[in-house]
mmCIF file of all heavy atoms in Angstrom:
data_model
loop_
_atom_site.group_PDB
_atom_site.id
_atom_site.type_symbol
_atom_site.label_atom_id
_atom_site.label_comp_id
_atom_site.label_asym_id
_atom_site.label_seq_id
_atom_site.Cartn_x
_atom_site.Cartn_y
_atom_site.Cartn_z
ATOM 1 N N PHE A 41 127.474 5.711 127.170
ATOM 2 C CA PHE A 41 127.639 5.995 125.589
ATOM 3 C C PHE A 41 129.145 5.458 125.231
ATOM 4 O O PHE A 41 130.024 6.155 125.481
ATOM 5 C CB PHE A 41 127.555 7.409 125.307
ATOM 6 C CG PHE A 41 126.203 8.116 125.567
ATOM 7 C CD1 PHE A 41 125.994 9.001 126.707
ATOM 8 C CD2 PHE A 41 125.121 7.745 124.903
ATOM 9 C CE1 PHE A 41 124.744 9.421 126.992
ATOM 10 C CE2 PHE A 41 123.835 8.209 125.267
ATOM 11 C CZ PHE A 41 123.769 9.163 126.342
ATOM 12 N N LEU A 44 131.889 5.698 127.792
ATOM 13 C CA LEU A 44 131.494 6.810 128.709
ATOM 14 C C LEU A 44 130.405 6.557 129.654
ATOM 15 O O LEU A 44 129.381 6.328 129.015
ATOM 16 C CB LEU A 44 131.442 8.273 128.023
ATOM 17 C CG LEU A 44 130.993 9.313 128.853
ATOM 18 C CD1 LEU A 44 132.137 10.035 129.428
ATOM 19 C CD2 LEU A 44 130.214 10.303 127.952
ATOM 20 N N ALA A 46 127.801 8.312 131.187
ATOM 21 C CA ALA A 46 127.209 9.634 131.246
ATOM 22 C C ALA A 46 126.469 9.855 132.512
ATOM 23 O O ALA A 46 126.489 10.788 133.318
ATOM 24 C CB ALA A 46 126.391 9.922 130.144
ATOM 25 N N PRO A 65 128.395 20.652 136.887
ATOM 26 C CA PRO A 65 129.076 21.323 135.687
ATOM 27 C C PRO A 65 128.676 20.712 134.368
ATOM 28 O O PRO A 65 127.962 19.769 134.282
ATOM 29 C CB PRO A 65 130.576 20.941 135.886
ATOM 30 C CG PRO A 65 130.687 20.155 137.128
ATOM 31 C CD PRO A 65 129.346 19.869 137.631
ATOM 32 N N ASN A 66 129.003 21.469 133.323
ATOM 33 C CA ASN A 66 128.618 21.001 131.911
ATOM 34 C C ASN A 66 129.144 19.592 131.665
ATOM 35 O O ASN A 66 130.310 19.196 132.106
ATOM 36 C CB ASN A 66 129.323 21.869 130.935
ATOM 37 C CG ASN A 66 128.399 22.796 130.396
ATOM 38 O OD1 ASN A 66 127.177 22.514 130.035
ATOM 39 N ND2 ASN A 66 128.724 24.065 130.114
ATOM 40 N N GLY A 67 128.238 18.794 131.163
ATOM 41 C CA GLY A 67 128.742 17.418 130.780
ATOM 42 C C GLY A 67 128.596 16.429 131.944
ATOM 43 O O GLY A 67 129.033 15.210 131.942
ATOM 44 N N ALA A 68 128.054 16.902 133.064
ATOM 45 C CA ALA A 68 127.951 16.102 134.211
ATOM 46 C C ALA A 68 126.897 14.980 134.116
ATOM 47 O O ALA A 68 126.846 13.909 134.784
ATOM 48 C CB ALA A 68 127.397 16.908 135.511
ATOM 49 N N GLY A 69 125.992 15.090 133.200
ATOM 50 C CA GLY A 69 125.039 13.993 132.920
ATOM 51 C C GLY A 69 123.532 14.372 133.297
ATOM 52 O O GLY A 69 122.601 13.608 133.311
ATOM 53 N N LYS A 70 123.256 15.683 133.540
ATOM 54 C CA LYS A 70 121.916 16.083 133.964
ATOM 55 C C LYS A 70 121.030 15.951 132.870
ATOM 56 O O LYS A 70 119.968 15.293 133.214
ATOM 57 C CB LYS A 70 122.086 17.603 134.400
ATOM 58 C CG LYS A 70 123.064 18.030 135.314
ATOM 59 C CD LYS A 70 123.193 19.508 135.630
ATOM 60 C CE LYS A 70 123.571 20.396 134.488
ATOM 61 N NZ LYS A 70 125.003 20.297 133.952
ATOM 62 N N THR A 71 121.277 16.301 131.723
ATOM 63 C CA THR A 71 120.304 16.218 130.675
ATOM 64 C C THR A 71 120.054 14.733 130.369
ATOM 65 O O THR A 71 119.042 14.253 129.997
ATOM 66 C CB THR A 71 120.712 16.823 129.424
ATOM 67 O OG1 THR A 71 120.854 18.241 129.706
ATOM 68 C CG2 THR A 71 119.767 16.638 128.217
ATOM 69 N N THR A 72 121.132 13.921 130.461
ATOM 70 C CA THR A 72 120.994 12.395 130.281
ATOM 71 C C THR A 72 119.988 11.896 131.276
ATOM 72 O O THR A 72 119.200 10.983 130.977
ATOM 73 C CB THR A 72 122.345 11.767 130.349
ATOM 74 O OG1 THR A 72 123.216 12.517 129.406
ATOM 75 C CG2 THR A 72 122.279 10.313 129.914
ATOM 76 N N TYR A 81 116.408 7.678 126.213
ATOM 77 C CA TYR A 81 117.351 6.614 126.306
ATOM 78 C C TYR A 81 116.869 5.538 127.366
ATOM 79 O O TYR A 81 116.049 5.852 128.240
ATOM 80 C CB TYR A 81 118.695 7.054 126.900
ATOM 81 C CG TYR A 81 119.312 8.209 126.248
ATOM 82 C CD1 TYR A 81 119.853 9.298 126.787
ATOM 83 C CD2 TYR A 81 119.326 8.125 124.763
ATOM 84 C CE1 TYR A 81 120.478 10.405 126.076
ATOM 85 C CE2 TYR A 81 119.900 9.303 124.158
ATOM 86 C CZ TYR A 81 120.459 10.372 124.698
ATOM 87 O OH TYR A 81 121.140 11.490 124.108
ATOM 88 N N GLN A 113 116.606 21.433 126.766
ATOM 89 C CA GLN A 113 117.663 22.355 126.874
ATOM 90 C C GLN A 113 117.805 23.178 125.721
ATOM 91 O O GLN A 113 117.931 24.355 125.692
ATOM 92 C CB GLN A 113 119.036 21.575 127.115
ATOM 93 C CG GLN A 113 120.169 22.507 127.500
ATOM 94 C CD GLN A 113 121.526 21.663 127.803
ATOM 95 O OE1 GLN A 113 121.397 20.478 128.276
ATOM 96 N NE2 GLN A 113 122.487 22.316 127.879
ATOM 97 N N ARG B 327 120.214 12.404 118.016
ATOM 98 C CA ARG B 327 119.631 12.238 119.593
ATOM 99 C C ARG B 327 120.494 12.886 120.355
ATOM 100 O O ARG B 327 120.303 13.196 121.636
ATOM 101 C CB ARG B 327 119.468 10.926 119.865
ATOM 102 C CG ARG B 327 118.481 10.246 119.079
ATOM 103 C CD ARG B 327 117.628 9.104 119.798
ATOM 104 N NE ARG B 327 116.279 9.131 119.251
ATOM 105 C CZ ARG B 327 115.254 8.642 119.861
ATOM 106 N NH1 ARG B 327 115.290 8.333 121.080
ATOM 107 N NH2 ARG B 327 114.083 8.588 119.348
ATOM 108 N N LYS B 328 121.819 13.362 119.995
ATOM 109 C CA LYS B 328 122.848 13.958 120.900
ATOM 110 C C LYS B 328 122.347 15.456 121.170
ATOM 111 O O LYS B 328 122.671 15.958 122.197
ATOM 112 C CB LYS B 328 124.121 13.996 120.227
ATOM 113 C CG LYS B 328 125.253 14.002 121.284
ATOM 114 C CD LYS B 328 126.445 13.783 120.622
ATOM 115 C CE LYS B 328 127.664 14.033 121.703
ATOM 116 N NZ LYS B 328 129.003 13.794 121.195
HETATM 117 N N1 ADP C 20 123.476 10.860 122.571
HETATM 118 C C1 ADP C 20 124.753 10.898 123.188
HETATM 119 N N2 ADP C 20 125.777 10.178 122.577
HETATM 120 C C2 ADP C 20 127.047 10.195 123.006
HETATM 121 N N3 ADP C 20 127.320 10.836 124.161
HETATM 122 C C3 ADP C 20 126.470 11.595 124.862
HETATM 123 C C4 ADP C 20 124.958 11.596 124.194
HETATM 124 N N4 ADP C 20 124.346 12.383 125.048
HETATM 125 C C5 ADP C 20 125.132 12.852 125.882
HETATM 126 N N5 ADP C 20 126.351 12.433 125.890
HETATM 127 C C6 ADP C 20 127.617 12.720 126.691
HETATM 128 O O1 ADP C 20 127.184 12.347 127.971
HETATM 129 C C7 ADP C 20 127.758 13.293 128.969
HETATM 130 C C8 ADP C 20 126.628 13.995 129.696
HETATM 131 O O2 ADP C 20 125.944 14.830 128.840
HETATM 132 P P1 ADP C 20 124.686 15.683 129.355
HETATM 133 O O3 ADP C 20 123.779 14.777 130.020
HETATM 134 O O4 ADP C 20 124.199 16.548 128.155
HETATM 135 O O5 ADP C 20 125.292 16.677 130.424
HETATM 136 P P2 ADP C 20 124.842 18.073 131.156
HETATM 137 O O6 ADP C 20 123.334 18.072 130.741
HETATM 138 O O7 ADP C 20 124.984 17.758 132.558
HETATM 139 O O8 ADP C 20 125.548 19.130 130.628
HETATM 140 C C9 ADP C 20 128.602 14.262 128.057
HETATM 141 O O9 ADP C 20 129.821 13.821 128.052
HETATM 142 C C10 ADP C 20 128.058 14.058 126.708
HETATM 143 O O10 ADP C 20 128.912 14.335 125.707
#
Side-chain angles (χ1 to χ4, degrees):
Chain A
F41 296 112
L44 173 84
N66 258 324
K70 306 179 296 293
T71 299
T72 306
Y81 305 137
Q113 185 175 344
Chain B
R327 295 215 155 206
K328 209 171 169 174

